[in-house]
């Protein structure tokens, strides 16, 4: 099956949508209008993207004067058309991102060796003006009516743990300097994310002050809850530029809310009353925007990959890029809970109403990630080959409130392993699988979970780990500055993976030049296992990729995992016969 296109970074301006589209070739910038449909908005070969705060984001902005994008090759901002890319800023070696345009000015975040800066760039001259400096972290420069808003947080915190929202007066005609900053929201135990100025002149933002990431409004004096609910309405901001809500022209607000392992699109009126759109979409990326008073989003169903979708206020919708929702041979996953932990169980594709099959328990690569109820080609690969897959929202995942998200700090390699093991034991008890036919796999932080699970007695027959973290303390010392506080919180009390402790066969997969986790640690672990005579396999790929998601890499990894799991099943069958 051909790999479907992927969509990211959706933005809108004055009747047009723009997004980053990836597939078999390089990422492309696409712009869509009702009259012209989808067209390339940057020259072929222009490499769009950034690595600001390690994970990037906000690499594109649009206004009536054009489209601007950051080049991943030199980090400069360019004015883009389908024919040419004209540099707007000079080559300083710094990272730029979180772009937004107001009038003839591009506001951006700039990351340098000495910290973060909020800057703006004159689109006529390319002159860069520094508005604010910090030795720690800044994000979300958002110009409004006479003000600029932004977020800040200390180096020993992550933005989903403790952030502050500030505003300061700003008048471009007086030189563009900021006035005295005013703290709008944010305490040591509060995360504030995704500020936006509304058409009513109020400042909106998400906060988890109640334990849930909900939407609030600041009118210049006081802060009010907009739509209180026991649901997380924003994702952990690993990337810049997330928008989990969009403000419509008639005063209504569309919000992405996560409940029961599923994303819902809500419409909130001026009184705070909300209704849920009845849509087939169950996974929505945090890139909502408004076009002609409709909601544009990147969304997927359990049977279709993400698409660009327009949703009208009456609930009707149209797909403008990607697959239409449909029923096909992919079976709907089953929602389950074990020991208070939610998970999705994907049966084999040819399973009958009552079935039994080998099960792969997947630990997502978070830990602050969340499982997604959408079509997943890698998951399809295993269900087509007779396996069931259980996706686990273990403790630490986003979407279950602040306390759940922070519960893994100091307990990494313990709580997550317990949760995955509880899911495995639950499925064995249900009779959908046998004790000798349950495996665990994971990537990155999930790879650490899988390997720590391999050091415990049962219930896993074997473990497969992609790009795993082997030693949390060593990883903590090597991660980018942005991620260091998270690595420190996780690594506290977490043990390294030792070959002497591994009690079941393992498959280790790593990109040789991985910049996020150490391939050398993985190779060393395999060497120690070999010296012990322990059952293991090692696949090292000559790539800098951490995710190993490119089609050619993914195919090699999936084949290796399938062969490994089948070998385990064959060994179990042989043991039964003898």
């Amino acid at each position: 099956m051909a790999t479907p296109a992927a969509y990211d970074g959706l933005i809108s301006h004055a009747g047009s949508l723009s997004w980053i589209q990836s597939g078999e070739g390089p990422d492309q910038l696409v712009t869509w209008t009702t009259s012209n449909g989808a067209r390339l908005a940057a020259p072929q070969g222009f490499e769009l993207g950034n690595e600001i705060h390690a994970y990037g984001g906000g690499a594109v902005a649009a206004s009536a004067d054009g489209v601007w994008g950051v080049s991943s090759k030199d980090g400069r901002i360019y004015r883009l058309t389908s024919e040419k890319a004209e540099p707007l800023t000079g080559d300083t070696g710094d990272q730029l991102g979180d772009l937004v345009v107001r009038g003839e000015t591009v506001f951006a975040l700039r990351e340098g060796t000495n910290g973060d800066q909020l800057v703006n760039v004159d689109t006529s001259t390319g002159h860069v003006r520094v508005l604010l400096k910090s030795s720690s972290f800044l994000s979300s420069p958002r110009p409004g009516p006479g003000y600029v808003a932004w977020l800040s947080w200390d180096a020993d915190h992550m933005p989903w743990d403790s952030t502050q929202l500030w505003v300061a007066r700003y008048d471009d005609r007086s030189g563009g300097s900021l006035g005295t900053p005013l703290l709008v929201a944010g305490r040591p135990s509060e995360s504030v994310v995704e500020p936006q100025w509304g058409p009513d002149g109020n400042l909106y933002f998400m906060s988890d002050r109640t334990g849930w990431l909900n939407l609030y409004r600041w009118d210049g004096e006081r802060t009010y809850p907009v739509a209180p609910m026991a649901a997380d309405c924003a994702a952990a901001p690993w990337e810049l530029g997330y928008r989990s809500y969009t403000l419509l022209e008639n005063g209504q607000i569309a919000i992405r809310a996560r409940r029961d392992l599923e994303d819902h699109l809500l419409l909130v009126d001026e009184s705070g009353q909300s209704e849920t759109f009845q849509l087939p979409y169950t996974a929505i990326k945090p890139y909502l925007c408004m076009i002609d008073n409709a909601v544009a989003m990147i969304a997927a169903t359990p049977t279709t990959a993400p698409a660009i979708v327009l949703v009208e206020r009456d609930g009707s919708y149209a797909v403008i890029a990607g697959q239409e929702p449909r029923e096909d041979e992919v079976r709907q996953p089953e929602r389950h809970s074990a020991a208070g932990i939610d998970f999705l169980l994907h049966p084999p594709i040819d399973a009958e109403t009552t079935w039994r099959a080998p099960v792969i328990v997947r630990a997502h690569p978070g830990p602050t990630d969340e499982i997604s109820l959408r079509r997943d080609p890698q998951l399809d690969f295993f269900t087509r080959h007779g396996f069931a897959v259980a996706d686990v929202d273990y403790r630490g995942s986003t979407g279950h409130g602040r306390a759940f998200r922070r519960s893994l700090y100091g307990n990494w390699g313990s709580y997550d392993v317990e949760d995955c093991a509880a899911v495995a034991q639950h499925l064995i008890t249900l009779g959908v699988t046998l004790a000798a036919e349950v495996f665990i796999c994971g990537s990155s932080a999930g790879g650490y979970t899988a390997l720590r699970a391999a050091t415990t007695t049962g219930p896993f027959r074997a473990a497969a780990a992609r790009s795993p973290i082997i030693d949390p303390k060593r990883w903590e010392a090597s991660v980018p500055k942005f991620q260091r506080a998270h690595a420190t919180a996780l690594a506290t009390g977490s043990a390294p993976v030792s070959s002497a402790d591994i009690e079941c066969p393992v498959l280790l997969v790593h990109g040789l030049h991985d910049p996020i986790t150490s391939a050398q640690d993985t190779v060393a672990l395999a060497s120690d296992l070999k010296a012990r005579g322990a059952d293991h396999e090692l696949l090292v790929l000559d790539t800098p990729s951490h995710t190993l998601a490119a089609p050619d890499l993914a195919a090699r990894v999936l084949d290796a995992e399938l062969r490994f799991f089948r070998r385990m099943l064959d060994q179990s069958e042989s043991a039964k016969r003898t």
Side-chain angles (χ1 to χ4, degrees), residues 523-547:
V523 172
L525 178 63
S527 178
D528 290 346
L529 289 168
K530 182 178 181 180
R532 278 185 53 207
D535 190 345
H536 74 286
E537 295 181 18
L538 173 66
L539 173 61
V540 177
L541 302 169
D542 188 11
T543 175
S545 174
H546 175 66
T547 62

Side-chain angles (χ1 to χ4, degrees), residues 14-53:
S16 69
L17 293 172
S18 297
W19 63 81
I20 300 170
Q21 183 167 319
S22 58
E24 298 293 339
D27 291 355
Q28 296 178 321
L29 181 62
V30 176
T31 293
W32 177 92
T33 62
T34 303
S35 56
N36 296 324
R39 297 182 175 183
L40 292 182
Q44 288 278 6
F46 180 80
E47 297 184 16
L48 186 72
N50 54 25
E51 295 180 354
I52 190 167
H53 287 181

Side-chain angles (χ1 to χ4, degrees), residues 217-431:
R217 173 176 61 87
W218 180 71
D219 66 2
E221 296 182 0
R222 296 181 60 191
T223 296
Y224 304 87
V226 174
M229 64 185 80
D232 276 339
C233 299
W238 281 98
E239 298 178 17
L240 299 171
Y242 282 173
R243 279 170 282 99
S244 301
Y245 64 100
T246 188
L247 306 160
L248 305 181
E249 292 174 346
N250 61 356
Q252 294 178 311
I253 304 171
I255 301 177
R256 167 193 179 267
R258 185 168 176 84
R259 298 192 186 109
D260 303 324
L261 305 180
E262 185 175 330
D263 296 332
H264 302 267
L265 186 65
L266 278 56
L267 190 64
V268 180
D269 64 22
E270 292 180 276
S271 69
Q273 296 298 308
S274 66
E275 61 176 305
T276 302
F277 285 103
Q278 300 304 309
L279 300 168
Y281 296 99
T282 52
I284 303 172
K285 282 191 172 186
Y287 293 108
L288 299 186
C289 53
M290 186 269 292
I291 177 171
D292 299 329
N293 221 29
V295 181
M297 63 182 186
I298 304 171
T301 76
T303 60
T304 52
I308 308 291
V309 183
L310 290 184
V311 182
E312 302 292 343
R313 284 175 295 159
D314 63 3
S316 61
Y317 65 91
V319 176
I320 63 172
Q323 296 179 339
E324 294 278 351
R326 68 173 190 272
E327 296 292 334
D328 64 6
E329 75 279 6
V330 178
R331 181 167 168 166
Q332 292 274 354
E334 304 167 5
R335 290 177 173 85
H336 287 260
S337 183
I341 299 301
D342 296 329
F343 67 98
L344 292 173
L345 179 61
H346 301 260
I349 196 169
D350 57 355
E352 303 293 338
T353 302
T354 301
W355 57 273
R356 190 172 71 186
V359 171
I360 302 169
V361 175
R362 290 204 309 186
H364 63 63
T368 56
D369 202 350
E370 56 194 22
I371 60 176
S372 188
L373 183 50
R374 65 177 177 86
R375 185 74 177 269
D376 180 342
Q378 296 200 19
L379 186 152
D380 289 351
F381 176 84
F382 287 107
T383 59
R384 289 179 185 277
H385 284 91
F387 290 81
V389 179
D391 273 339
V392 184
D393 249 5
Y394 56 84
R395 278 172 283 183
S397 303
T398 297
H400 304 270
R402 179 182 176 88
F404 191 93
R405 188 174 67 246
R406 291 174 54 85
S407 61
L408 204 60
Y409 289 170
N411 299 293
W412 191 31
S414 175
Y415 284 3
D416 46 334
V417 172
E418 291 174 12
D419 295 345
C420 290
V423 167
Q425 191 58 56
H426 176 75
L427 295 176
I428 294 169
T429 302
L430 283 180

